[in-house]
Amino acid sequence: MSARLLLFTGKGGVGKTTLAAATSAALAAGGRKALVVSTDPAHSLGDAFGVPLGSAPTEVDAGLHAAQVDPRTLVDGTWRELRGHLRTVLAGAGVDELDAEELTVLPGVEELLALAEVARLTRTGPWDVVVVDCGPTAETLRLLALPEAVAGYLERLFPTHRRVVRGLLAGLAGTAAPVERWDATADALGRLAENLEQLRGLLTADTTAVRLVLTPERVVAAETRRTVTALALQGIRVDGVIANRLVPHPGAGRGPAATWLRTRRAEQDAVLASLDLGPVRTVEHHAREPVGLAALLEVAEALYAGADPLAGSGAAGPLVDVVRVDDEYELRLALRVGDSELELARVGDDLAVTVDGRRRLIALPSLLRRCVVVGAELDDDGVAVRFRPDPDLWMR
């Protein structure tokens, strides 16, 4: 049975590292084998535990290990061989050697290798749960989209039907390079394609979930809503939203300090009420910085209140669902669009959905491929695209 994977992300400075560390500490205290890994370039996971961490898992407590992935080392090792193979492909296509060197510097490769390392640890370690302290939301969204993007790049550069036929690409290139070299390139890029497919499968699996951390501020809340939509477009499940650093209730206290606390807490409560993202767990602001295992366990108790940390506060349903309404069909997309800019377009057998510039092609079920789009509507549950059977195609 594969380990559960929990990814914590949020706008920079909201406390996601502390909450990821606290969650992993609580899981280990409850008897599970937990690993918490930081992929954030600005590593602070070791600071949260108060212990030095490296790229190899370090035991922090019984059943609890932690690590900080060093993508630079991964690039110098794993990526060097693959770049050599990619240069072989480009040279065979007639690309100048210097240009080939530049083209094989793929944007985001460090983040991609960091994610691959998390997948390796999840797959090979003895862990019941792997908790990931991701970078800020913008970086995390780019990170989680990389496997699909790079897979598309690889397929255009070196299609599958050419990789599987031994020696074919060498013959097409017409170069003097040995056939064995081309076959080695095909094998290496084939393994890369398989690894990318496995990464995409891991991110969209039922055992993987994202927890979004925010502070109750309108700008942060707006970014959180956009992140939920962007993750839904990628088919990645969000199983909880955590509001961190709520100011404590002043009770019946008087004076300027109590007045300030009441006013600030009322503003924070209003932001949370407007989120419309289902149940939200909350953590009040502590006077002391939570550093060290004991302090992190206190944070976990405030966060989960004795409940199982693996139990999310809300589970997302499927991104796509099809229902019949009279003589038409509705394709329902579970996207909370809000104030975001939404664009829909039919592209052959796909529906292109673009939200705030993020585009996803959704393959239409075979039933709807024989239909024409007649309209679309927005409601509180998402987007409903209406289809009507095309008489010219319906009986085929």
Side-chain angles (χ1 to χ4, degrees), residues 111-388:
E111 294 94 331
L112 182 63
L113 291 174
L115 184 59
E117 178 65 6
V118 169
R120 186 189 69 81
L121 291 169
T122 303
R123 186 175 62 252
T124 62
W127 329 110
D128 299 314
V129 188
V130 174
V131 179
V132 184
D133 170 32
C134 299
T137 44
E139 295 176 9
T140 300
L141 288 173
R142 186 174 65 251
L143 168 69
L144 299 182
L146 276 173
E148 187 169 1
V150 176
Y153 172 90
L154 177 63
E155 184 63 24
R156 290 192 297 272
L157 178 67
F158 198 8
T160 303
H161 68 273
R162 293 186 178 177
R163 289 201 305 268
V164 297
V165 181
R166 312 299 292 180
L168 174 62
L169 199 59
L172 291 174
T175 67
V179 172
E180 291 78 8
R181 180 178 172 185
W182 285 99
D183 286 345
T185 295
D187 289 339
L189 297 184
R191 289 193 300 271
L192 174 60
E194 290 176 6
N195 288 336
L196 291 170
E197 187 62 34
Q198 290 174 1
L199 277 179
R200 286 193 289 177
L202 175 65
L203 292 174
T204 56
D206 292 339
T207 53
T208 297
V210 173
R211 293 192 181 170
L212 299 175
V213 181
L214 61 95
T215 49
E217 302 165 66
R218 297 191 185 281
V219 172
V220 181
E223 179 174 310
T224 302
R225 283 192 291 268
R226 289 193 294 269
T227 301
V228 169
T229 300
L231 290 171
L233 274 177
Q234 296 178 34
I236 298 173
R237 187 168 62 96
V238 174
D239 84 338
V241 178
I242 302 171
N244 193 25
R245 297 179 185 154
L246 273 73
V247 300
H249 283 291
R254 297 182 178 181
T259 300
W260 185 91
L261 286 172
R262 268 192 293 271
T263 302
R264 185 73 187 103
R265 181 58 183 257
E267 290 177 347
Q268 291 182 329
D269 289 341
V271 170
L272 294 182
S274 68
L275 264 180
D276 189 30
L277 293 177
V280 178
R281 296 189 188 275
T282 59
V283 183
E284 290 192 347
H285 207 312
H286 293 266
R288 290 184 299 177
E289 188 176 3
V291 175
L293 196 59
L296 291 172
L297 287 171
E298 289 180 9
V299 172
E301 178 58 32
L303 174 59
Y304 298 109
D308 184 356
L310 272 184
S313 59
L319 171 63
V320 179
D321 191 23
V322 179
V323 297
R324 181 164 185 166
V325 181
D326 298 327
D327 295 330
E328 297 179 349
Y329 295 91
E330 278 190 358
L331 176 72
R332 300 203 61 86
L333 303 173
L335 295 175
R336 296 177 181 272
V337 178
D339 297 330
S340 300
E341 184 177 336
L342 171 69
E343 296 179 14
L344 300 171
R346 175 79 179 266
V347 182
D349 289 339
D350 297 327
L351 181 69
V353 183
T354 306
V355 181
D356 284 340
R358 295 185 180 275
R359 188 171 185 259
R360 169 81 183 272
L361 287 177
I362 298 176
L364 293 173
S366 58
L367 176 73
L368 299 185
R369 295 173 191 170
R370 293 174 288 145
C371 299
V372 294
V373 177
V374 294
E377 296 175 351
L378 281 173
D379 57 30
D380 293 339
D381 296 323
V383 182
V385 184
R386 301 197 313 278
F387 291 78
R388 182 175 298 156

